[in-house]
Amino acid sequence: MHEGLRQRLVRQIEALPDEQVYQVLDYIEFLASKYNRAPLREPNSVQRFTERLEDRMRLQGLAYGTIKGALGIMGTAGKVVSGISDASRTVIREVEQVVLGPETPRDAGQNGAAPTQLPPRTNRDEDGTKAG
């Protein structure tokens, strides 16, 4: 789908009352079940839970304001879980760098060249005289 069509759909959907938005969703899901050849992108676990909760609330006939409030809370929870996941990945990368040390250059040791090394330390002061 091109971006212009996506924006047009979003504009039209945003202008509808909640009840009609759910009718549009139902129709889209019907069309997808009938015509989709490619598999849909799988939602993450929080999204999947939220969608199931929303469907159950709709089946029970709860007011759209109630559904909207519950889904707003679930959206916030999803953002928190995502933030925790990102933070965890960052911590793991930093721990790996500390434990494994800095990465060696990719070209080190290739084509028969020795990896770049620092010169050995000498017992000389900053001015070049022998420390003693």
Side-chain angles (χ1 to χ4, degrees):
M1 171 184 337
H2 61 83
E3 191 58 31
L5 178 57
R6 182 184 311 276
Q7 290 175 357
R8 183 176 176 188
L9 286 168
V10 168
R11 261 195 337 268
Q12 293 294 328
I13 290 171
E14 287 176 341
L16 293 172
D18 287 341
E19 187 172 334
Q20 280 67 46
V21 171
Y22 281 112
Q23 290 175 351
V24 170
L25 176 62
D26 291 339
Y27 187 64
I28 290 171
E29 289 175 343
F30 163 75
L31 290 175
S33 70
K34 189 170 183 175
Y35 297 110
N36 263 2
R37 293 189 178 124
L40 292 175
R41 229 178 351 145
E42 283 295 317
N44 66 36
S45 58
V46 174
Q47 289 172 327
R48 190 171 32 254
F49 177 80
T50 301
E51 289 173 7
R52 288 180 183 160
L53 175 66
E54 178 181 19
D55 291 343
R56 287 181 183 161
M57 292 173 81
R58 288 177 57 206
L59 285 173
Q60 292 178 0
L62 294 176
Y64 293 109
T66 303
I67 295 172
K68 185 177 180 179
L71 296 181
I73 292 169
M74 293 305 298
T76 302
K79 290 176 185 174
V80 169
V81 169
S82 177
I84 291 171
S85 296
D86 292 344
S88 298
R89 282 192 280 285
T90 301
V91 168
I92 289 170
R93 277 193 298 267
E94 290 177 2
V95 168
E96 283 178 343
Q97 288 176 353
V98 169
V99 172
L100 302 176
E103 294 181 26
T104 58
R106 289 184 181 187
D107 61 349
Q110 294 178 355
N111 300 329
T116 307
Q117 295 181 349
L118 294 174
R121 293 188 73 175
T122 61
N123 290 335
R124 301 219 176 250
D125 288 332
E126 291 178 9
D127 62 359
T129 60
K130 189 171 183 172

